[in-house]
Amino acid sequence: MSELPVLNKDIPSLAELHQAQLQKMQDDLELENPIQSLPKLACHYETIFIRDDGSILPCCNTWPEDRLVIGNIKDDNILAKLRDFDQQCNICGTCQLRKANQEDNINFRHIIVETSKYCNVNCAMCGHFSPYHTRTGQYNKEDLSYYYDRFLDLCPPKILSVLGGETLVQEHGLKWFTGVKKKYNDTYVELVTSGNVKPEVADAIDGCFDSILISFYGFQAETYRKVTNLPIDRVFEFSDILINQAREKVHLKYLTTPINFHESAIFLDWAMKNKPGWVVSHDCNTPYFLTMDLDEPYRICDSYPTHNKIPNNYWKEILHRTVRDIIKTLKENKEILEEGKTRVAYADFLFKWGGLTQELVDSHQLQNVTISKGTGC
């Protein structure tokens, strides 16, 4: 990955900050799941992440890790590089990466394509650092079509996820993926988008995807604007058009941050009443934002969620109150859940500190609600 700008000569770059976050996540996971007990898998034969420059990595958890670059989709010998790839990794906390052996076969369950870092949204917590990239990607439209199609022809996946940046404002990406579904009819094609685009784009992509995941970074207008630097109105309009076209294909995602997680319940209520296929909640490593020292804003503190000027129970109480509202909202929309057309999924990484567990959900006899392990990002 190209070197990211250093915001101040006395503090680390964003890449170094992200690496510190990843290391702390890995250290925390190792406390719960000793490395020795994790299964060893050739997981790069099942899932890969392709950066905007064509670099191939084992999964989306590993994309900042240059040491885990397997090769590039431009490489003529990319299948051999996949076979010979031999690096240690357990960033996800669920398995250990191992070298493939003769018994392993490439059978991609999931390929994630980052078409470009170019984006119209300027998210304060962007995990891909898109606001710090002025380039629009390494590929022109001919490159994208040729090299991606060539790679997918070699090993078409069961699921193909397309994301950015914001793919819907990238001309070259838009032209490529609008034809992907027709060519790879047996592949489940998913778009991940902020939805903050002109409403006519919704009509342009009709029929191009099996599912569209629209990410919300806040629900109240001022919160959303503070996080993204854009108004939220276009997202509502874009979502409404797609939901009217094919409700079951639309999934609404709430990405929690320190300034928006308390709005989770009002988002949940709005989303469920629209009856999309899924309503999901992921977390943007909120605990790591909460534990940053305000006097040294780029130093990660050692524990969650303490700060020498903020009492521990403040954030826990906000989390507990939010979880109570989430459960109340789920109960108020119980009939929608029982219909089975809309399902709800929460990653427990943040809300577990507020008491949101599968056991709590089940105790209220709430159907089609899943609490999964991890951040969900």
Side-chain angles (χ1 to χ4, degrees):
M1 187 170 70
S2 60
E3 185 64 27
L4 295 171
V6 177
L7 303 184
N8 183 297
K9 66 179 181 179
D10 298 322
I11 61 177
S13 68
L14 287 178
E16 292 169 323
L17 173 61
H18 188 82
Q19 179 58 41
Q21 292 174 338
L22 284 176
Q23 185 60 53
K24 181 161 176 29
M25 287 176 67
Q26 184 169 327
D27 292 343
D28 290 346
L29 287 164
E30 287 176 7
L31 294 176
E32 300 177 8
N33 301 295
I35 294 177
Q36 294 82 355
S37 65
L38 297 177
K40 294 183 178 180
L41 301 173
C43 47
H44 60 300
Y45 268 29
E46 297 182 2
T47 303
I48 56 170
F49 181 93
I50 305 177
R51 289 177 181 167
D52 69 315
D53 65 355
S55 301
I56 297 175
L57 295 104
C59 71
C60 59
N61 288 305
T62 65
W63 77 263
E65 295 280 335
D66 284 339
R67 70 177 181 86
L68 294 176
V69 171
I70 300 167
N72 195 288
I73 60 168
K74 289 186 176 183
D75 297 334
D76 291 330
N77 61 340
I78 188 58
L79 295 185
K81 288 188 174 182
L82 281 163
R83 183 192 63 235
D84 297 336
F85 182 66
D86 188 11
Q87 286 286 341
Q88 299 296 313
C89 173
N90 68 309
I91 289 174
C92 67
T94 61
C95 67
Q96 297 181 72
L97 175 65
R98 65 162 172 80
K99 184 179 179 181
N101 56 43
Q102 291 182 345
E103 287 72 38
D104 295 314
N105 295 307
I106 294 176
N107 185 20
F108 286 124
R109 179 183 59 83
H110 195 185
I111 292 179
I112 305 148
V113 173
E114 179 188 57
T115 54
S116 169
K117 293 190 185 298
Y118 179 70
C119 192
N120 63 327
V121 183
N122 190 351
C123 296
M125 76 305 169
C126 178
H128 288 241
F129 311 127
S130 289
Y132 299 91
H133 285 258
T134 56
R135 60 191 173 88
T136 59
Q138 297 288 333
Y139 294 98
N140 59 40
K141 58 188 178 183
E142 291 81 12
D143 282 342
L144 191 72
S145 176
Y146 176 76
Y147 288 110
Y148 275 101
D149 286 354
R150 185 183 70 163
F151 184 78
L152 294 177
D153 284 344
L154 289 172
C155 36
K158 293 181 175 64
I159 302 171
L160 176 68
S161 294
V162 182
L163 48 82
E166 176 50 68
T167 306
L168 294 182
V169 297
Q170 301 164 11
E171 183 180 355
H172 66 287
L174 201 59
K175 288 184 177 180
W176 172 66
F177 71 65
T178 49
V180 166
K181 185 59 187 173
K182 294 178 181 178
K183 185 172 183 180
Y184 304 101
N185 191 50
D186 293 333
T187 295
Y188 185 95
V189 183
E190 174 192 53
L191 169 70
V192 181
T193 175
S194 71
N196 205 311
V197 294
K198 296 178 180 179
E200 52 264 32
V201 176
D203 293 321
I205 63 173
D206 186 23
C208 296
F209 298 96
D210 294 290
S211 69
I212 299 175
L213 181 66
I214 304 172
S215 299
F216 285 76
Y217 312 106
F219 189 71
Q220 298 183 95
E222 188 59 26
T223 305
Y224 185 91
R225 183 186 290 274
K226 282 294 186 293
V227 175
T228 68
N229 210 32
L230 285 179
I232 197 172
D233 295 351
R234 289 203 304 187
V235 190
F236 287 129
E237 189 172 2
F238 180 82
S239 301
D240 287 343
I241 294 171
L242 290 177
I243 287 171
N244 288 331
Q245 287 175 353
R247 186 182 307 273
E248 71 283 355
K249 289 185 178 182
V250 180
H251 309 318
L252 302 175
K253 179 181 79 172
Y254 197 71
L255 187 60
T256 56
T257 66
I259 71 167
N260 75 18
F261 72 76
H262 66 284
E263 298 176 2
S264 296
I266 57 175
F267 167 81
L268 176 65
D269 187 56
W270 169 82
M272 290 190 68
K273 285 180 168 56
N274 277 284
K275 297 183 180 181
W278 280 90
V279 179
V280 298
S281 177
H282 293 175
D283 183 67
C284 188
N285 292 330
T286 296
Y288 298 107
F289 287 101
L290 298 181
T291 58
M292 291 174 72
D293 191 316
L294 299 183
D295 295 322
E296 299 180 53
Y298 288 84
R299 181 175 71 82
I300 303 297
C301 297
D302 296 328
S303 59
Y304 171 90
T306 59
H307 179 266
N308 57 3
K309 297 184 179 67
I310 301 177
N312 192 29
N313 63 350
Y314 174 85
W315 290 113
K316 285 188 177 179
E317 188 56 43
I318 300 299
L319 282 162
H320 278 295
R321 294 176 186 181
T322 303
V323 168
R324 286 198 294 268
D325 288 342
I326 289 170
I327 294 296
K328 178 183 177 183
T329 303
L330 290 170
K331 290 169 69 175
E332 290 173 349
N333 290 279
K334 202 169 185 178
E335 290 184 4
I336 294 174
L337 290 170
E338 290 173 349
E339 287 176 5
K341 295 180 180 179
T342 295
R343 290 168 287 179
V344 175
Y346 272 81
D348 75 350
F349 184 69
L350 173 65
F351 289 112
K352 66 181 178 182
W353 282 286
L356 186 62
T357 63
Q358 191 66 54
E359 291 73 20
L360 177 63
V361 167
D362 293 343
S363 71
H364 289 280
Q365 299 180 324
L366 296 166
Q367 300 177 27
N368 296 308
V369 179
T370 303
I371 312 299
S372 60
K373 299 293 183 184
T375 67
C377 288

